[in-house]
Amino acid sequence: MSKISAPRSNREFIEACVQAGDAVRIKQEVDWENEAGAIVRRACELGAAAPFMEKIKDYPGFSYFGAPLSTYRRMAISLGMDPASSLPEIGKEYLKRTNSEPIAPVVIDRKDAPCKENILMGADVDLCKLPVPLVHDGDGGRYVGTWHAVVTKHPVRGDVNWGMYRQMMFDSRTMSGAVFPFSDLGKQLTEYYLPRGLSCPFATAIGLSPLAAMAACAPSPIPEPELVGMLSGEPARLVKCETNDLEVPADAEIIIEGEICPDYKVEEGPFGEYTGYRTSPRDFRVTFRVNCITYRNNATMTISNMGVPQDEGQLLRSFSLGLELEKLLRSQGIPVTGVYMHPRSTHHMMIVGVKPSYSGIAQQIGQLAFGSKLGPWFHMVMVVDDQTDIYNWDEVYHAFCTRCHPENGIHVYRNTTGTPLYPFATPQERKYSIGSKVVFDCLWPVDWDKVNDVPTLVSFKNVYPQDIQDRVLANWTAYGYPEVKK
Amino acid sequence: MNQWEVFVMDMAELAEGKDLALSIRTLNPGRHKYTYKHVRCQVSTDLDKHPDRLQVRMGRGQLSTAKFSIQVIEEIRRLPPQYA
Ligand SMILES: Cc1cc2nc3c(=O)[nH]c(=O)nc-3n(C[C@H](O)[C@H](O)[C@H](O)COP(=O)(O)O)c2cc1C
């Protein structure tokens, strides 16, 4: 693999974003209560530069970095690519790196780990010493974890999991969070810790390198520490926790160590969610008791503000869910041309391009997609042919409206796994994570006669001879039209 | 006077004249704003009845126009001792 020069820490990333004009330094004091959240939200809705807020009310010495990965430009920067890279180029690079050899992390000495510069233990532990923001007015609490990784380990198998599961501050030493039952941590808890009444050690790492954050929310089967290595082309630097055996990213800004309680639950939520709504109600959820906090000098807390498109939850999850599905479909020999999720679908619709080489291929794709680990996160799969540009919504929408037969082309699956956050789901479905799914088959049926039954697409590209197309393109400005930007 | 806030799904959860067990969060300014306590308390729509004020939000964060006074009788310690 050629040398990758991706930012190795949140600090390097902020610097790279500032250099590229993709982050702004905000010098004036910002309030942790709503104001910081509102800045991040507006930046997301405008697709603007990421706010680096250097002065926070009540918290001298701390700063915020908001909307870290809510544009494709910042995603390209995080991968060490040209910020102007196109989405298909970024996707290709992600696939190349995540199909490479795993790179094992290294564990460094604690004296070399920046995240150990300040250590709070015992009576000093107080989450309120961190600038935990009230992200949206009306949220159930101040959210400690909005762009972070919760690190845990399966005690028998030893599997390490880094997952981004939101965490609300309940009191100075307690957090509560929404860990879905089908997530890796959810399964670890229900499979091992809860039935045994054992507490589960955890460490929350905040202010990660952007690729570590990307790994924490990627639905990849590769263990996240290796995945970070593959994405960045070098081993992730980890360091052992102070109060348990977990290892955390040494360059993270803040580490919160503790235990997940099997026998104690406090309320969590409501919270502004990636669907663009507050859907899940307040409820008693997974509860994290904090035993130790470590942080860098002048620590920067990262904030993702989920709401209407587009924020990094939508952008990055759409990106990685789509590409992981592409890998899965290719591994099954399905002749896909690509898979794309538009972030504005709030990662609810997969668009799959395929060579329609046999009957039922759209349903096969849908069944694989919905039956996979990725499945609970979306409920629509739209399958288009290999001539349709999956990244061009105009083409996809045209295919959908003209080729999807209302009776034969729409396939509904009932009683599947869903998320409690689906805004359209009934209250009962939300409560029990029950989903339903739909495949939109926008392929011409293979048993139609290609000459007499399949309609001809009437477009500039499709109906004119090549020499005419070339002539018209060559003369376009001579006809009096302005030049068309590619 | 302390300012508190509570989340409810239904206003009936705030019955007057009864001992209630509620998770309430402080709205007093400062670093601990929005942290919770689990308390035994009494509430009243008569704002002069109890020493503190209670503001109410519904399940999805909507601020209610209803205002209460509240008397916090005691903090309920639910935390198992091994986590203290
Ligand atoms: C900003 C953000 C917040 C998220 N919050 C949650 C959450 O609260 N609970 C959850 O189960 N997944 C959440 N996710 C999705 C998980 O991070 C994602 O499923 C990830 O792959 C977790 O890994 P696992 O399920 O493979 O363990 C969130 C993702 C993002 C980007």
Side-chain angles (χ1 to χ4, degrees), chain A residues 13 40-41 43-45 48-51 65-72 74-75 135 146-148 164 210 213-214 217-218 274 302-320 343 346-347:
Chain A
F13 180 51
V40 181
R41 183 94 290 277
C44 285
E45 291 178 21
F65 187 51
L69 282 181
S70 63
T71 64
Y72 290 118
R74 292 203 279 284
M75 199 186 285
V135 179
T146 61
W147 190 249
H148 62 301
M164 201 175 276
M214 194 185 279
C217 64
Y274 67 88
T302 35
I303 306 178
S304 174
N305 181 325
M306 294 193 282
V308 298
Q310 89 188 10
D311 53 67
E312 43 276 297
Q314 293 141 0
L315 193 98
L316 194 51
R317 296 275 294 147
S318 300
F319 176 80
S320 54
T346 66
H347 65 71

Side-chain angles (χ1 to χ4, degrees), chain A residues 145-148 161-167 177-186 215-220 224 268 274 304 306 311-314 316-317 347 373 377 421:
Chain A
T146 61
W147 190 249
H148 62 301
N161 182 52
W162 296 6
M164 201 175 276
Y165 313 106
R166 75 190 197 202
Q167 287 174 311
V179 179
F180 295 140
F182 49 79
S183 69
D184 287 350
L185 178 54
C217 64
S220 164
E224 288 79 5
E268 191 262 351
Y274 67 88
S304 174
M306 294 193 282
D311 53 67
E312 43 276 297
Q314 293 141 0
L316 194 51
R317 296 275 294 147
H347 65 71
K373 177 175 171 15
W377 292 103
L421 310 190

Side-chain angles (χ1 to χ4, degrees), chain A residues 219-399:
Chain A
S220 164
I222 303 165
E224 288 79 5
E226 274 85 11
L227 185 59
V228 180
M230 293 157 85
L231 286 168
S232 58
E234 60 184 17
R237 279 165 28 105
L238 308 182
V239 65
K240 203 178 129 341
C241 281
E242 297 299 299
T243 57
N244 58 40
D245 285 335
L246 297 168
E247 287 152 3
V248 287
D251 299 296
E253 298 285 330
I254 299 167
I255 305 289
I256 299 168
E257 303 177 11
E259 51 198 321
I260 300 174
C261 311
D263 45 3
Y264 176 55
K265 276 199 160 61
V266 299
E267 297 96 327
E268 191 262 351
F271 188 52
E273 289 155 355
Y274 67 88
T275 59
Y277 304 88
R278 274 190 196 116
T279 302
S280 62
R282 187 174 182 71
D283 207 344
F284 287 88
R285 298 212 168 88
V286 172
T287 297
F288 303 79
R289 190 73 182 159
V290 178
N291 296 326
C292 172
I293 299 173
T294 79
Y295 57 97
R296 296 182 71 156
N297 293 333
N298 300 312
T300 302
M301 194 157 207
T302 35
I303 306 178
S304 174
N305 181 325
M306 294 193 282
V308 298
Q310 89 188 10
D311 53 67
E312 43 276 297
Q314 293 141 0
L315 193 98
L316 194 51
R317 296 275 294 147
S318 300
F319 176 80
S320 54
L321 282 164
L323 294 174
E324 291 298 332
L325 180 61
E326 182 170 336
K327 282 201 233 173
L328 172 73
L329 295 174
R330 286 192 195 281
S331 77
Q332 301 292 307
I334 313 273
V336 291
T337 49
V339 180
Y340 176 54
M341 263 191 154
H342 202 296
R344 285 182 192 277
S345 78
T346 66
H347 65 71
H348 283 147
M349 183 192 278
M350 283 285 183
I351 300 168
V352 181
V354 70
K355 210 169 170 42
S357 35
Y358 51 86
S359 294
I361 199 165
Q363 283 216 66
Q364 189 187 20
I365 289 169
Q367 285 162 345
L368 278 165
F370 295 141
S372 72
K373 177 175 171 15
L374 319 171
W377 292 103
F378 53 90
H379 60 283
M380 292 184 270
V381 169
M382 187 175 284
V383 183
V384 296
D385 70 13
D386 52 336
Q387 301 305 304
T388 308
D389 178 358
I390 55 169
Y391 296 104
N392 183 332
W393 177 242
D394 287 348
E395 283 191 28
V396 171
Y397 191 49
H398 178 250

